[in-house]
Amino acid sequence: MNRIDVSFNKVKEENRKALIPFVTCGADFTIEETADLVVSLEKEGATVVEIGVPFRDPLADGPIIQNAYTKALQNGTKVKDVFKCVELIRKRSEVPIVLMVYFNVVYFTGIESFMKTAAKSGVDGLIVPDVPLEERGDLDKVCEDNGIYLIPLVARTSKDRIAAITKGAKGFVYCVSTNGTTGERKTLDSGTYEYLAEVRKNVDIPMCIGFGISSKEVVKEVKEYCDGVIVGSAIVKRMAESKQAVIDFVKDLSDGLK
């Protein structure tokens, strides 16, 4: 069984919601420090950890993550370093790892090669934000052949396409909370709960909400409408401060999900 399923089954049995923190590789922390952080986040309540693969043109991401990616690339971080990070995590933890990666990175690495290395490293899932439904077939097959879940993203604009986008999905569905890029927000957009209710009608696997989830207060506000929350920019911002700042923040978020 995929580690993602195991972790979501566990939180369901414990009657709580999933917490999925997003971290970047190679910006403010070394690869070894990033792996150590991920292990620490599991101890503080992380259900799954999403790791961002640095890319020069991350269209779905806001300034905080864009700047982290730029810094990581300037530091010479490569795809192989991200895989090394996952390997280091696997020596100490079975926490599910999902890579957030843009398709150009996968394509130029070689789709087959990327997936085989990802699987060997211990990756459990992929989020590829710039591959539309109509072009997902081949990628989905290679993921399946290597035991990796391709996590679908649905947006507020998906509407009649939600059923098609989520058909056959495994792991969880990533619900994008806002029309725009990633980033910290104090409140969720109006219509968010109606949107989540519409997604719920179409899926029978966990649905998690991300983009703009940036505080314990927002987590408390949204937790009754989903199976988990994904927190990115607010964590990456704290990675520029210290490891302890990230740990304290994730612990606070975890408390908000209880």
Side-chain angles (χ1 to χ4, degrees):
M1 181 181 289
N2 189 293
R3 295 181 189 90
I4 297 173
D5 296 327
V6 173
S7 287
F8 272 100
N9 287 341
K10 182 179 179 182
V11 296
K12 185 176 181 180
E13 289 170 2
E14 296 174 353
N15 195 30
R16 59 188 177 90
K17 304 293 184 176
L19 174 59
I20 305 178
F22 169 94
V23 302
T24 50
C25 241
D28 298 292
F29 291 10
T30 65
I31 300 304
E32 291 77 13
E33 289 169 343
T34 302
D36 187 61
L37 173 65
V38 170
V39 173
S40 296
L41 294 186
E42 181 190 18
K43 295 175 182 177
E44 297 300 338
T47 309
V48 175
V49 176
E50 185 183 343
I51 300 178
V53 180
F55 184 56
R56 295 188 182 280
D57 190 22
L59 297 177
D61 293 297
I64 292 174
I65 294 176
Q66 285 182 21
N67 291 339
Y69 280 167
T70 297
K71 191 184 299 184
L73 292 170
Q74 289 173 342
N75 290 341
T77 306
K78 308 291 185 184
V79 177
K80 65 180 181 180
D81 298 313
V82 179
F83 288 139
K84 177 185 176 183
C85 182
V86 179
E87 290 173 1
L88 291 173
I89 294 166
R90 282 289 163 255
K91 291 180 179 180
R92 302 167 57 191
S93 170
E94 288 298 303
V95 64
I97 299 296
V98 174
L99 298 187
M100 168 80 154
V101 59
Y102 287 86
F103 184 65
N104 269 14
V105 176
V106 179
Y107 181 78
F108 282 104
T109 303
I111 298 175
E112 292 276 358
S113 176
F114 185 97
M115 297 307 169
K116 288 184 182 302
T117 306
K120 184 178 179 181
S121 301
V123 172
D124 303 287
L126 284 187
I127 297 169
V128 189
D130 56 344
V131 173
L133 170 63
E134 292 77 10
E135 299 174 17
R136 202 174 68 191
D138 291 344
L139 185 62
D140 207 356
K141 185 179 185 306
V142 179
C143 282
E144 186 173 351
D145 289 345
N146 286 279
I148 293 173
Y149 287 172
L150 183 59
I151 307 298
L153 289 96
V154 294
R156 295 157 64 90
T157 55
S158 298
K159 298 182 179 179
D160 295 339
R161 290 165 55 85
I162 292 174
I165 292 170
T166 59
K167 183 179 180 180
K170 297 179 180 179
F172 63 93
V173 175
Y174 192 133
C175 301
V176 178
S177 71
T178 186
N179 295 327
T181 58
T182 58
E184 293 184 278
R185 294 173 179 84
K186 294 182 180 179
T187 59
L188 294 176
D189 294 346
S190 61
T192 295
Y193 304 122
E194 290 83 356
Y195 153 61
L196 291 175
E198 189 61 32
V199 177
R200 179 70 76 186
K201 293 177 186 177
N202 291 275
V203 303
D204 57 5
I205 61 173
M207 43 181 278
C208 300
I209 186 168
F211 282 51
I213 310 299
S214 57
S215 70
K216 183 177 182 179
E217 290 69 32
V218 175
V219 163
K220 284 184 173 181
E221 179 186 345
V222 76
K223 69 179 183 179
E224 299 305 322
Y225 300 88
C226 61
D227 300 299
V229 297
I230 303 163
V231 185
S233 295
I235 287 176
V236 174
K237 178 181 178 181
R238 286 164 176 79
M239 288 181 73
E241 299 172 16
S242 68
K243 175 185 175 183
Q244 194 59 49
V246 179
I247 290 173
D248 291 343
F249 181 58
V250 168
K251 184 176 181 180
D252 193 47
L253 293 173
S254 183
D255 288 342
L257 287 170
K258 293 178 179 177

